[in-house]
Amino acid sequence: MFEFERPRGGERALLVHINFPQQQDQDDLDEFVELVRSADVEDVDLITGSRQQPSAKTFIGKGKLEEIAAQVASRQIDVVLFNHALSPSQERNLESELKCRVLDRTGLILDIFAQRAQSFEGKLQVELAQLRHLSTRLVRGWTHLERQKGGIGLRGPGETQLETDRRLLGKRIKYLNNRLAKVSSQRAQSRQARTKADIPTVSLVGYTNAGKSTLFNALTDASVYAADQLFATLDPTLRKLQLSEQQDVILADTVGFIRHLPHDLVAAFRATLVETREADLILHVVDAADDSRQEKIEAVDRILHEVGAGEVPQLLVYNKIDLLGLSPRVDLNEQGQPWRIWLSAQQREGFDQLADILRQRFCEKSAIYSLELLASEGQVRAYLFESGAIDSENFENNGNINLKLRLTPALLKRLQRKFGISPERFEMLADKLAGAA
């Protein structure tokens, strides 16, 4: 779309990782190497070092810069990849000194996402994230900022080349946002139809390469691409999973998370992650054989809170127990409710226990409740109509509405969570109905 005066090369990469002792949360070096390999580039060498703090101009010191420049020249390096977030000026100064492309961790992840996107929606979201990232780096590579020369029909104050590109980029971002808004509207309609049909949604989330897609395929007999690499799955996939003759759930496979996931990516993928925010249950898939699993659980939880899914009920799914020689089991909390299950998606072990948990949660029958809504709670009434939950309603003189509702436990919890309605306001009028679903 935009033509930059910057070096363009092949796929030979030099990796750079600098340790900063004052930082508590260092980017994992092994994870960085896996990211590079997932980007399908050849990691020629890795240069490490230590500094008290980054250099404002080039991030690294003069000596390390000379070391990297020598490697770039002698080993025909095409791109230098930093396991850190670089400012636009640092990237520009490094490219000027090294005479090759420079990408930071965010740029690397964006490149991987661009390779993985297959669906129309996924490509839109990746392009939007790339353009948002690029908008702060438009000055990079430009050697001229003079005004465009006028001509017939073009006379007047004109604008700089940089301003032209910023204007074009802004128009493209606006176009992508509009297209994604339409996709979001279509997704919302699908969710409303599922809610009205009383089909709960279970969303698979987890750190990248935790085995979500393998578990998804094994549970639904789907054929989602699954591989031992970071971000093997990017496009979300929905499949119906039958729990009993009366009850189905929609299982949603989502993009994997990672520590320090670029903010532009989180913002661009909000349309996809809304499936997780509106889910009735999150299956948080964890690589049980990973030594740093607890840190990765916390990283995923932080992103879930960021996208508004922090309050959705979770079940921890400790996957890959076959690598540890463990047997499937279910751990209960203090209230006797399942909160963690140990299984192997690859070996299909522990699936019976998982199915029992899901049936226990979603296969309960509907019950009849009464609920008095205030005149100001019209949004709740509209949601209940969309859900097909209202049996009858009576209007009071003061504007309040008495509703007779038919609710499943899942829909009841969703109402309480979505609108902050206290459980005490719901009065059960009848026991669970034998034939209602």
Side-chain angles (χ1 to χ4, degrees), residues 90-341:
Q90 287 170 338
E91 277 194 17
R92 184 171 65 251
N93 294 333
L94 285 167
E95 286 190 343
S96 176
E97 294 287 340
L98 300 176
K99 303 296 187 285
C100 74
R101 286 184 298 143
V102 173
L103 278 181
D104 65 357
R105 182 182 172 90
T106 297
L108 175 61
I109 294 175
L110 285 170
D111 184 79
I112 295 171
F113 271 58
Q115 293 181 46
R116 299 284 190 269
Q118 298 295 325
S119 70
F120 174 71
E121 179 187 9
K123 291 176 181 178
L124 285 179
Q125 291 176 125
V126 170
E127 184 182 355
L128 179 60
Q130 287 178 316
L131 293 183
R132 283 174 170 165
H133 183 65
L134 181 64
S135 64
T136 63
R137 287 158 163 75
L138 271 180
V139 69
R140 180 178 57 180
W142 289 105
T143 56
H144 64 282
L145 289 175
E146 75 276 6
R147 296 195 177 276
Q148 298 170 344
K149 294 181 179 178
I152 185 166
L154 296 174
R155 303 182 194 281
E159 61 182 339
T160 67
Q161 184 67 52
L162 184 59
E163 288 168 344
T164 301
D165 271 352
R166 279 183 174 149
R167 178 171 51 82
L168 293 174
L169 185 144
K171 289 177 65 176
R172 181 65 179 173
I173 288 177
K174 183 178 179 180
Y175 167 79
L176 291 175
N177 278 321
N178 290 336
R179 295 300 298 269
L180 282 172
K182 292 181 180 179
V183 174
S184 298
S185 176
Q186 293 169 353
R187 283 188 174 275
Q189 291 175 1
S190 297
R191 282 194 303 275
Q192 288 175 4
R194 295 199 301 267
T195 300
K196 193 168 185 177
D198 199 17
I199 303 179
T201 300
V202 177
S203 183
L204 288 174
V205 306
Y207 209 80
T208 182
N209 206 28
K212 297 183 303 302
S213 294
T214 302
L215 178 61
F216 182 86
N217 288 338
L219 289 172
T220 63
D221 293 323
S223 56
V224 173
Y225 178 65
D228 185 18
Q229 59 183 18
L230 302 186
F231 301 116
T233 303
L234 179 57
D235 297 304
T237 307
L238 304 179
R239 290 290 187 275
K240 185 177 290 186
L241 177 64
Q242 187 175 35
L243 298 180
S244 68
E245 291 184 2
Q246 293 82 24
Q247 184 66 65
D248 296 326
V249 297
I250 296 297
L251 198 62
D253 188 22
T254 61
V255 62
F257 297 154
I258 195 169
R259 276 174 291 193
H260 311 302
L261 190 67
H263 178 74
D264 291 332
L265 272 179
V266 176
F269 277 79
R270 284 188 186 277
T272 300
L273 295 174
V274 73
E275 294 288 353
T276 299
R277 189 171 69 241
E278 298 291 336
D280 297 281
L281 177 67
I282 288 176
L283 297 184
H284 183 164
V285 183
V286 179
D287 184 349
D290 191 336
D291 293 336
S292 59
R293 66 192 186 197
Q294 187 56 43
E295 291 85 352
K296 293 181 177 179
I297 289 173
E298 294 169 358
V300 171
D301 284 339
R302 281 195 295 271
I303 297 174
L304 288 175
H305 277 89
E306 187 174 347
V307 300
E311 301 303 318
V312 179
Q314 272 194 38
L315 175 67
L316 285 172
V317 179
Y318 276 51
N319 187 27
K320 306 184 184 182
I321 61 171
D322 52 303
L323 301 180
L324 300 174
L326 300 177
S327 299
R329 75 170 192 267
V330 176
D331 295 336
L332 306 179
N333 59 19
E334 295 178 353
Q335 289 75 40
Q337 299 296 319
W339 73 279
R340 180 171 61 187
I341 181 173

